[in-house]
Amino acid sequence: MNQIFKTSVDYVRGVGTTRAEMLKKELGIFTFEDLLRHFPFKYIDRTKFYKIRDINEDLPHVQVIARLTQKELVGDKRTKRLVARVQDDTGTMELAWFQGIKWAEKNLIVGKAYIIFGKPGSFNGKAQMAHPEIEPYSAEALQRKGNLTLQPVYSSTEKLKSFSLDSKGIQKLTAILLEQHGKDIEENLPQYILQKFKLMGRSDAYRSAHFPEDATALHEAQYRLKFEELFNIQLKLLKNKLLRTQKYRGNVFEKVGHYFTGFYEDKLPFALTNAQKKVLKEIRLDTQRGVQMNRLLQGDVGSGKTVVALMTVLMAIDNGFQACLMAPTEILATQHYHSIKGLVGDDFIELALLTGSTKQKARRPIHEKLEDGTLQLLIGTHALLEDKVQFKNLGLAVIDEQHRFGVEQRSKLWRKNALPPHVLVMTATPIPRTLAMTLYGDLDVSVINELPAGRKPIETVHFYENQRLRMFGLMKQEIAKGRQIYVVYPLIKESEKLDLKNLEDGIETMSREFPLPDYRISVVHGKLAAAEKEAEMQRFVRGETHIMVATTVIEVGVNVPNASVMIIENSERFGLSQLHQLRGRVGRGAEQSYCILMSGHKLSREGRIRLDTMVATNDGFKISEIDLELRGPGDIEGTQQSGVLDLKMANLATDQELLMTVRHQVEEIFEKDPQLAHPENQILHQMLQTKSGGLSWDKIS
Ligand code: ADP
Ligand code: MG
């Protein structure tokens, strides 16, 4: 289907081998498809003249004809700028120059009319344009400009520019390609879908996305291409889900029995939150249907996922099945083992811990008991996946921290039983709904969006360098109460040297401010040997040190309920989700906890939004939404293996509504025609077969 899409870009007339090489290297453009999907990042509209009244911030570059009524120099030495005022018959607007002030002052003449072209913005609530292109109005100038339509602007690189592949060069190639092959771009959506959603045809959409006749055509083309991108992903994901439910029968957890009820009535030390109850109900329904469960459990740090997992395990045991719980690191696995043991007590169920460092001698009985079925719950790391680990009757696999395990590993777990076990995946990294729907569209998603009652929300403050004394004060006060404190420094590869210097300076400052013998400090960073790191960590865990100075190595896995303060140095350099994860290290005990974000005075706009967000909310889902808006999905963990990064048109942050529409539509298609056997759906059936259609299917789990 549509072979031309896969044709190498060498074959575009006028490209040739050298330029083809450059396109591959610099922009990752290998095929016709890649070139066609290298969409303009903006368009310049020089056909239309706007009236000042109609100008607003949301418009791209616009053009106006207006008369200069005023100009003046304002601001002091640092903020000096030339501000001019222009007027047409509908209103006035400000123009500003921060650079090239001399030029503007000399050439702009009050009383004269100009053609002004720029990106509208606003300043103090008034329409404004900074550094517009401006030239005196004349009939001749006007005509010259009127001939241009919406001009596409493409991203390029310095290197490419030297091969005449700047924006204009790319535009030319794209025009040639569309002229040669535009008509060969086949439709890939069913006719009835095109009609129902009034979508532009595919070939036209590609053409209009690059060379729109007007803003309406551009909008329609973009809508169509977004629709197609999201539709194809959902089609694939929901097909997988359908296959799973058709193909894999699941173990039936018929009853709730001695283990579940006994635990619930006699051992559970607290009342479940409503969110926990709701999720347990969802799981209970899932495991009774005779279909394999594949459920993602999302919940913020501390929301109580472990108990839910444990109670699901007990359901399995009640029905004569074994269960396993797999965590990404030894520390986490060990912690799960101890906290579950703490909850159920000794002698309630048979459980064991298996990790890479479990001694050979201890392994033998584990293997034996697994095989004869007496071991009911096995907790561990990747070690669980080894072929030697054989269960008698594995009914449930719980996986903690999904992102770290690949699809391959998931499927290894599946094969551990004749009927694949039910799978419950837990993640503490909340992700926005749209992203979840795309990353894990073939899973069912449960959310614990409520913290246990009585938990004191962590108080977060943002301090500048000159408030460091207050920070020390708070630290001393907390240590005097017997609490412990984390101080975290960024460690980012590119500037490792600088980071190490920061860390060393930090350690020195801390040692001076918190001297022995009254205060003791643990230091943990990536340069330490593993054993040393572990020893330093353990000192802190055992409460032998008051302060742990560390790089981000502590992000995962440490659980020290007595720690009540998290100080993040250079916090402006961390991403939002990382900040949130770090903050989650405190607030685990009953005490009021604090998070102090230290930063320099100079903050980027984004940096400020991040810190303000952290101060404003503890809600991981809210934070993840803002994170997605700020960064796009590319940097969010887990997206690498998904199809999300191939989205060239759709944007998961801004196209949520469209995604929902598309999702519902695809669900409806599968409800009516699960095999895609109707003639009208032939085109979709084909696409799933051929794995083409503009996305790398193999990357989608
Ligand atoms: P998560 O794994 O989601 O980060 P945990 O399951 O480790 O959270 O739970 C955090 C803490 O809260 C644990 O000490 C747990 O025993 C406790 N906890 C869980 N559910 C509740 C609840 N409903 N009420 C009170 N405490 C709870
Ligand atoms: Mg946990």
Side-chain angles (χ1 to χ4, degrees), residues 19-32:
R19 290 166 101 203
E21 255 339 282
M22 292 312 295
L23 282 171
K24 288 173 195 172
K25 248 214 214 111
E26 294 286 301
L27 293 176
I29 295 177
F30 288 81
T31 61
F32 281 12

Side-chain angles (χ1 to χ4, degrees), residues 350-546:
E350 277 275 341
L351 79 166
L353 176 69
L354 180 70
T355 70
S357 53
T358 305
K359 294 268 165 359
Q360 208 52 41
K361 222 172 92 195
R363 278 180 190 241
R364 183 140 349 109
I366 292 178
H367 287 308
E368 281 168 13
K369 284 185 184 170
L370 272 184
E371 281 168 42
D372 70 21
T374 43
L375 190 59
Q376 293 164 305
L377 171 61
L378 180 63
I379 297 172
T381 54
H382 291 76
L384 299 192
L385 295 172
E386 288 168 18
D387 291 333
K388 302 191 289 254
V389 180
Q390 292 293 338
F391 294 80
K392 176 158 189 247
N393 193 8
L394 181 65
L396 169 74
V398 181
I399 307 177
D400 197 7
E401 294 294 343
Q402 145 89 5
H403 297 331
R404 289 160 200 270
F405 295 106
V407 184
E408 180 55 26
Q409 290 160 324
R410 261 205 262 167
S411 70
K412 257 193 177 166
L413 265 179
W414 282 31
R415 291 196 295 268
K416 293 237 176 248
N417 210 50
L419 269 190
H422 294 302
V423 176
L424 182 68
V425 172
M426 305 193 284
T427 170
T429 314
I431 53 177
R433 203 160 65 121
T434 49
L435 196 58
M437 219 182 262
T438 317
L439 284 180
Y440 310 113
D442 59 337
L443 306 186
D444 293 303
V445 178
S446 287
V447 173
I448 304 188
N449 52 3
E450 176 186 11
L451 291 182
R455 198 74 60 77
K456 291 196 185 75
I458 300 165
E459 238 176 74
T460 302
V461 289
H462 171 201
F463 280 177
Y464 293 107
E465 198 48 46
N466 60 2
Q467 288 161 295
R468 192 164 281 276
L469 283 180
R470 277 180 68 191
M471 176 190 105
F472 287 143
L474 184 83
M475 289 174 74
K476 284 179 185 154
Q477 179 193 314
E478 287 296 298
I479 293 175
K481 285 193 218 153
R483 309 275 121 69
Q484 290 165 283
I485 294 170
Y486 295 104
V487 184
V488 178
Y489 286 84
L491 189 57
I492 302 169
K493 284 240 160 51
E494 299 94 75
S495 57
E496 218 165 324
K497 268 205 192 115
L498 182 73
D499 286 328
L500 209 58
K501 167 112 180 40
N502 277 342
L503 179 70
E504 279 162 3
D505 290 352
I507 294 167
E508 204 185 302
T509 316
M510 286 296 162
S511 312
R512 215 178 310 124
E513 194 66 33
F514 297 92
L516 287 165
D518 293 348
Y519 298 102
R520 286 179 304 278
I521 302 179
S522 287
V523 177
V524 176
H525 57 80
K527 285 266 167 347
L528 292 181
E532 220 174 329
K533 217 186 291 181
E534 182 66 24
E536 280 289 288
M537 253 195 293
Q538 285 305 337
R539 287 208 308 148
F540 188 71
V541 172
R542 287 195 300 264
E544 293 165 14
T545 53
H546 302 100

Side-chain angles (χ1 to χ4, degrees), residues 180-387:
Q180 276 183 309
H181 294 291
K183 281 195 288 302
D184 306 331
I185 298 174
E186 288 169 24
E187 184 51 64
N188 65 356
L189 293 173
Q191 207 52 43
Y192 70 95
I193 295 286
L194 296 182
Q195 273 160 13
K196 179 168 174 188
F197 295 95
K198 300 192 176 60
L199 299 177
M200 193 184 260
R202 193 171 184 222
S203 168
D204 286 343
Y206 271 106
R207 187 183 305 277
S208 290
H210 290 281
F211 303 106
E213 258 154 46
D214 53 34
T216 314
L218 175 60
H219 183 78
E220 280 174 17
Q222 288 175 330
Y223 187 78
R224 143 79 211 211
L225 293 168
K226 282 178 187 184
F227 191 102
E228 173 187 324
E229 280 185 340
L230 297 173
F231 186 92
N232 287 347
I233 292 185
Q234 292 303 321
L235 191 72
K236 170 77 177 170
L237 288 169
L238 289 175
K239 176 74 187 174
N240 279 352
K241 190 170 170 183
L242 202 66
L243 274 182
R244 175 164 56 76
T245 50
Q246 285 169 346
K247 206 155 95 191
Y248 301 108
R249 281 189 305 115
N251 301 301
V252 180
F253 295 175
E254 223 163 340
K255 59 172 192 239
V256 161
H258 159 74
Y259 288 105
F260 188 95
T261 318
F263 175 77
Y264 189 65
E265 285 174 1
D266 304 335
K267 294 183 182 284
L268 186 63
F270 40 71
L272 293 177
T273 63
N274 285 330
Q276 285 171 319
K277 283 187 200 159
K278 185 192 71 195
V279 171
L280 276 169
K281 248 184 227 149
E282 286 167 348
I283 292 172
R284 178 106 180 78
L285 284 177
D286 264 5
T287 51
Q288 284 175 313
R289 288 189 310 159
V291 165
Q292 191 226 9
M293 171 177 82
N294 226 340
R295 189 168 276 281
L296 176 72
L297 174 54
Q298 284 199 64
D300 235 329
V301 175
S303 60
K305 295 184 291 295
T306 313
V307 179
V308 171
L310 172 62
M311 291 178 77
T312 309
V313 166
L314 296 176
M315 280 182 214
I317 296 177
D318 267 334
N319 290 278
F321 292 99
Q322 293 167 294
C324 68
L325 193 166
M326 186 161 82
T329 65
E330 199 155 332
I331 296 182
L332 274 179
T334 310
Q335 260 170 25
H336 274 308
Y337 177 74
H338 289 301
S339 67
I340 285 180
K341 230 180 152 97
L343 281 166
V344 293
D346 294 333
D347 309 331
F348 187 62
I349 54 173
E350 277 275 341
L351 79 166
L353 176 69
L354 180 70
T355 70
S357 53
T358 305
K359 294 268 165 359
Q360 208 52 41
K361 222 172 92 195
R363 278 180 190 241
R364 183 140 349 109
I366 292 178
H367 287 308
E368 281 168 13
K369 284 185 184 170
L370 272 184
E371 281 168 42
D372 70 21
T374 43
L375 190 59
Q376 293 164 305
L377 171 61
L378 180 63
I379 297 172
T381 54
H382 291 76
L384 299 192
L385 295 172
E386 288 168 18
D387 291 333

Side-chain angles (χ1 to χ4, degrees), residues 20-48:
E21 255 339 282
M22 292 312 295
L23 282 171
K24 288 173 195 172
K25 248 214 214 111
E26 294 286 301
L27 293 176
I29 295 177
F30 288 81
T31 61
F32 281 12
E33 175 178 14
D34 295 333
L35 182 58
L36 281 176
R37 293 174 61 75
H38 185 64
F39 293 112
F41 68 92
K42 68 173 183 188
Y43 304 81
I44 298 180
D45 183 359
R46 310 211 67 169
T47 53
K48 183 173 170 169

